[in-house]
Amino acid sequence: MPATTRCYQALPWMPKIECLVLSFSDIDKKIWKVIGGLPMLKTLKIHHVSFRGDIPVEMDHIAGLQVSSLIIEPQVFPFPQSLNVAVLSELSCDLDTLKKFLTRGPISALKTLSIDSRSVFSMQSLMQVLSQIPSIDNLTICSEPSVEGPKVVPRDFPALLPNLRSLACHHAFLALLAPGRPLVNLNVWGRDGPPLNLSAALGSRGSNTASLDITRLDIPLAVYLTVGHLPRLHKLTLGFSPAYTDLPGSPDPGTTTELMELIVDACDKWAVNSSVRRLCITAETSFDPMDLDLVMQHTMLFGSLLQKFPALRRFRLGYRVKWERFAVDEEWQVFVPIKYRAGIVEEFEAGGPGVVDYDGYLRRLSTSNLP
């Protein structure tokens, strides 16, 4: 008997399950019947599965569920005709599935919406859908916009999505979705097209962004120069890719020293922001040599970053090493999360390229159980 079959047979003995993830398995009518017998199920996630039988009919078994969070893989999961969409508060799917949901009536409880990256649509179709869901306060659009659709944003569109507080999207959507909304969390990506002026995209005049309430910002590093002053910004994530055009006019770096110089040069142009507490600079594979050069990270932190972010508490370059302090007058400590320690110790002991210890931290990590 396959392991997945045994797992599904065990579900009736766990009636208090609130979250169920179905992945990498076959789904048939027996399984739908089991799922329909979970009275407390609130979150259903389905991806990388194969369906058997007459799925629309068999899904009648889940008609009585009050699922509030539904995350489904696009173009694989059939439209669930029997599901009560009125109670959905979180939904992740492709745009076509979302349109089918809306034909059933309003989804007035929906707060969090994620549109999958495989969706292809125009600005016009996006506006038509979002205009029917004014309750959304957290929106993620993983797709890039198509070339079709209106060239100018309709004047009445800023009145829509009045409660939007968190937005993650390609920069081409900003003019449509950002101005006039009470955003506190903004994640922007995309390098194609002309350089992005974030202040202008947010609907600010010049660099006057002081009235904005943004506390979390995730953008390409070069774009930060156009942000203006954000007095409530606490967490800043900057994406850096020397292989692209983040820093125009700069040569492709080949060493950690050149990488540091490029980032420090950009940092010198920034204004001081005393509200930022957490700073993360992320990058692609070409950025990896800096990940374990702790001396270089220490130099960057004390040489440039603290001058621009004097209230900083946490700093991370890449993903594996963190620098922390609990107060402005305390010393900085380097820290490696447990899940990365084995790999880092292996690289350190092998004398891998780009691994440079600071204050003996990596040596102690390889010989003892550091906290």
Side-chain angles (χ1 to χ4, degrees), residues 86-113:
V87 299
L88 284 175
S89 62
E90 179 182 8
L91 177 61
S92 176
C93 63
D94 63 292
L95 195 67
D96 288 338
T97 297
L98 179 57
K99 290 179 180 179
K100 293 176 182 178
F101 276 123
L102 290 170
T103 62
R104 303 272 303 281
I107 314 177
S108 56
L110 192 63
K111 299 293 184 182
T112 300
L113 173 64

Side-chain angles (χ1 to χ4, degrees), residues 9 16 28 33 42 60 62 65 81 88 93 132 161 192 195 203 211 235 267 295 302 306 337:
Q9 289 179 344
K16 295 185 178 180
D28 58 22
K33 187 174 183 180
K42 300 298 181 185
D60 287 340
I62 66 172
L65 293 179
Q81 294 286 345
L88 284 175
C93 63
Q132 302 178 61
L161 299 181
D192 56 306
S211 62
K235 182 178 180 181
C267 180
V295 171
F302 283 87
L306 286 177

Side-chain angles (χ1 to χ4, degrees), residues 116-347:
D116 189 87
S117 59
R118 279 166 284 190
S119 297
V120 178
F121 51 83
S122 66
M123 291 284 197
Q124 185 64 44
S125 68
L126 177 65
M127 288 189 296
Q128 291 173 346
V129 170
L130 294 181
S131 65
Q132 302 178 61
I133 322 174
S135 57
I136 293 174
D137 61 21
N138 187 335
L139 175 63
T140 298
I141 302 176
C142 300
S143 300
E144 296 185 10
S146 70
V147 295
E148 303 175 0
K151 302 295 183 181
V152 179
V153 178
R155 292 182 178 180
D156 59 342
F157 195 74
L160 304 177
L161 299 181
N163 303 311
L164 189 64
R165 295 176 61 81
S166 180
L167 173 64
C169 66
H170 186 276
H171 67 73
F173 289 112
L174 280 181
L176 181 72
L177 299 172
R181 277 77 176 192
L183 291 172
V184 297
N185 188 359
L186 181 62
N187 185 339
V188 182
W189 62 82
R191 299 185 182 88
D192 56 306
L196 172 65
N197 185 315
L198 192 61
S199 295
L202 292 174
S204 303
R205 295 182 178 179
S207 60
N208 182 22
T209 55
S211 62
L212 299 177
D213 292 326
I214 292 176
T215 62
R216 298 166 67 96
L217 186 63
D218 188 336
I219 56 175
L221 184 143
V223 173
Y224 184 66
L225 186 62
T226 71
V227 168
H229 182 53
L230 295 172
R232 300 166 186 81
L233 183 63
H234 288 167
K235 182 178 180 181
L236 175 62
T237 301
L238 301 174
F240 175 68
S241 177
Y244 291 87
T245 56
D246 282 337
L247 302 174
S250 300
D252 289 343
T255 67
T256 57
T257 300
E258 292 171 337
L259 284 167
M260 183 179 72
E261 290 176 351
L262 290 177
I263 296 176
V264 169
D265 180 64
C267 180
D268 289 341
K269 300 180 178 66
W270 299 337
V272 175
N273 190 318
S274 299
S275 67
V276 174
R277 301 293 190 270
R278 301 174 63 181
L279 173 65
C280 177
I281 300 178
T282 63
E284 298 179 350
T285 304
S286 57
F287 195 43
D288 286 347
M290 301 180 74
D291 197 19
L292 294 180
D293 190 337
L294 303 191
V295 171
M296 180 278 302
Q297 293 183 27
H298 182 271
T299 300
M300 182 184 298
L301 177 62
F302 283 87
S304 300
L305 297 178
L306 286 177
Q307 295 180 21
K308 302 299 181 178
F309 309 108
L312 203 61
R313 300 288 192 276
R314 294 183 181 180
F315 168 60
R316 178 163 55 89
L317 185 65
Y319 293 95
R320 297 188 290 177
V321 178
K322 299 180 179 180
W323 296 79
E324 298 178 327
R325 62 176 176 176
F326 295 100
V328 174
D329 56 349
E330 291 190 9
E331 294 185 0
W332 284 86
Q333 304 291 331
V334 63
F335 171 75
V336 174
I338 293 177
K339 63 180 178 179
Y340 298 126
R341 290 184 182 181
I344 288 179
V345 167
E346 183 177 348
E347 291 184 50

Side-chain angles (χ1 to χ4, degrees), residues 3-78:
T4 53
T5 301
R6 291 196 298 269
C7 290
Y8 291 129
Q9 289 179 344
L11 288 178
W13 301 96
M14 297 179 280
K16 295 185 178 180
I17 287 179
E18 296 184 1
C19 177
L20 180 63
V21 180
L22 308 179
S23 61
F24 300 98
S25 59
D26 296 329
I27 307 295
D28 58 22
K29 61 181 181 181
K30 293 181 180 179
I31 295 174
W32 286 124
K33 187 174 183 180
V34 170
I35 295 174
L38 301 174
M40 300 184 67
L41 188 66
K42 300 298 181 185
T43 299
L44 180 59
K45 301 180 182 181
I46 301 178
H47 61 91
H48 295 94
V49 299
S50 299
F51 297 97
R52 297 178 178 177
D54 188 350
I55 298 300
V57 172
E58 292 165 358
M59 286 188 63
D60 287 340
H61 291 298
I62 66 172
L65 293 179
Q66 299 295 305
V67 174
S68 60
S69 177
L70 180 61
I71 301 173
I72 56 181
E73 183 183 33
Q75 301 173 356
V76 172
F77 188 70

